[in-house]
Amino acid sequence: MKPYYSDNRGRYSTGESYDWFYKFEDEEDYQIFTSLDGLWTYDVAEDGIELLRYNGNQIHIHVPERVDGKKVVSLDSTFDGFYELKSVVIPKGVVSIIGAFYGCEGLEEVTLPEGVKDLTYAFNSCFSLKHIEIPDSVEDFSQALEGTAIEHFEFPQGTKIIDGCFSGSQHLRSVVIPKTVISCDEAFADCEVLEHVELEDGICELSDYAFFHCLMLKELKIPESVKKFGKMAVGIMEEREYDKGHFGFKIKGYKTVSFFQIIGMQGSQAEQYARINKISFVNGE
């Protein structure tokens, strides 16, 4: 049950060497360090250190608050591709978790600290993750939970960006979106089993492809506060022709989702969007 190749240079199938990091790909002069206990590779930031890679093979991990006496403030691709990882506790003081658990297919339990703000790509492709408690401090969920097994999710107040957060989910059935969200590009695109969406009054925009090709979503109540609709934001699906015996499909065109309706206020931007896209509109007064 070792997460590395026999030469200790990289995780299964990543093709990455032990001394290569994507964030430094275009930099010629940079410094990385290995902790005194050999468990962590890190770089030094202004306010602490960023853990770049875990070098051990434990599958239940408490990330330390300090490494070599320095405060841990960020994780970046730290456990990327560590298939066997089962649980992790992240300490207070960590404010960003960028792609740290990307592809951790066996990850089931996560404890996040209050104060973390950025979860960009954090748990992308964590196929075994069914539930996670999110602190109120998180603002950016870009591609954070794509590929997880989460079925019901409520974004915390203060969330700002959810671009691609659940895109392509085969499990998500309901979601609550707060008024603080300012960008949701492709946030729930291709979520084919999504059935219930609650938009909080005060949200201003449904971005491009936000709910594109959501086949089970039969209605959406859109508050009058929504003034801007992106391209194919909701109620539109692809007509797909699947090639028998082969993976993938051909796109034949686009149409409205069967029996889908928008509920909103008369004279609102929601009514105009519905009319332009030939979607059924119901007065929600």
Side-chain angles (χ1 to χ4, degrees):
M1 192 168 57
K2 294 183 178 180
Y4 295 94
Y5 291 118
S6 58
D7 63 358
N8 291 326
R9 286 175 52 83
R11 300 195 189 284
Y12 289 136
S13 76
T14 63
E16 297 178 1
S17 69
Y18 191 58
D19 53 3
W20 183 88
F21 302 91
Y22 82 91
K23 67 178 298 178
F24 301 124
E25 186 173 13
D26 297 323
E27 297 183 27
E28 295 182 0
D29 185 25
Y30 64 89
Q31 283 188 309
I32 58 173
F33 305 88
T34 299
S35 61
L36 295 175
D37 60 10
L39 289 177
W40 307 95
T41 299
Y42 64 89
D43 67 333
V44 179
E46 291 183 3
D47 51 351
I49 64 172
E50 180 174 59
L51 299 183
L52 301 174
R53 188 160 295 149
Y54 170 64
N55 304 320
N57 58 11
Q58 297 298 310
I59 62 174
H60 301 285
I61 297 174
H62 278 67
V63 176
E65 288 188 32
R66 292 181 174 273
V67 170
D68 291 350
K70 305 176 183 70
K71 182 181 178 181
V72 176
V73 297
S74 178
L75 307 181
D76 191 322
S77 304
T78 317
F79 301 91
D80 183 4
F82 188 174
Y83 300 160
E84 296 89 349
L85 183 65
K86 290 294 183 183
S87 69
V88 63
V89 177
I90 301 171
K92 63 181 181 180
V94 172
V95 295
S96 69
I97 302 172
I98 312 298
F101 302 93
Y102 194 114
C104 290
E105 299 179 1
L107 183 63
E108 297 174 350
E109 298 180 27
V110 176
T111 301
L112 295 173
E114 188 63 47
V116 64
K117 293 184 177 181
D118 192 344
L119 295 182
T120 300
Y121 283 100
F123 303 101
N124 196 300
S125 300
C126 291
F127 304 136
S128 301
L129 189 62
K130 297 181 179 181
H131 177 75
I132 184 170
E133 293 290 337
I134 302 292
D136 292 338
S137 54
V138 179
E139 298 178 354
D140 194 340
F141 285 86
S142 299
Q143 284 79 36
L145 300 167
E146 183 178 351
T148 62
I150 294 171
E151 295 185 5
H152 307 282
F153 193 79
E154 181 172 352
F155 290 95
Q157 288 291 338
T159 298
K160 294 182 179 179
I161 302 171
I162 59 174
D163 297 348
C165 183
F166 281 99
S167 180
S169 173
Q170 299 177 25
H171 302 276
L172 187 68
R173 295 186 178 278
S174 69
V175 65
V176 179
I177 303 171
K179 61 185 177 183
T180 53
V181 169
I182 59 175
S183 182
C184 55
D185 288 356
E186 300 183 42
F188 309 96
D190 281 286
C191 289
E192 296 188 356
V193 300
L194 180 62
E195 298 175 308
H196 177 76
V197 174
E198 182 179 334
L199 297 175
E200 189 175 88
D201 189 16
I203 190 170
C204 297
E205 177 181 349
L206 293 187
S207 309
D208 293 349
Y209 305 99
F211 297 97
F212 176 71
H213 205 80
C214 291
L215 305 184
M216 296 297 291
L217 187 62
K218 299 306 180 185
E219 68 177 31
L220 181 61
K221 185 175 182 180
I222 301 179
E224 197 172 10
S225 59
V226 177
K227 304 298 184 184
K228 183 178 179 180
F229 288 80
K231 185 177 181 181
M232 299 193 214
V234 64
I236 309 297
M237 62 176 288
E238 285 178 342
E239 293 185 274
R240 297 174 176 177
E241 181 179 314
Y242 290 87
D243 191 355
K244 293 182 179 180
H246 297 82
F247 293 105
F249 54 83
K250 297 178 181 178
I251 301 173
K252 298 175 61 178
Y254 303 93
K255 65 178 183 180
T256 57
V257 175
S258 300
F259 306 108
F260 177 76
Q261 63 181 15
I262 288 175
I263 303 172
M265 302 290 287
Q266 284 187 331
S268 65
Q269 291 297 313
E271 183 180 20
Q272 182 177 345
Y273 174 86
R275 183 173 62 252
I276 292 172
N277 291 280
K278 300 179 180 179
I279 295 171
S280 176
F281 180 81
V282 177
N283 183 8
E285 288 184 326

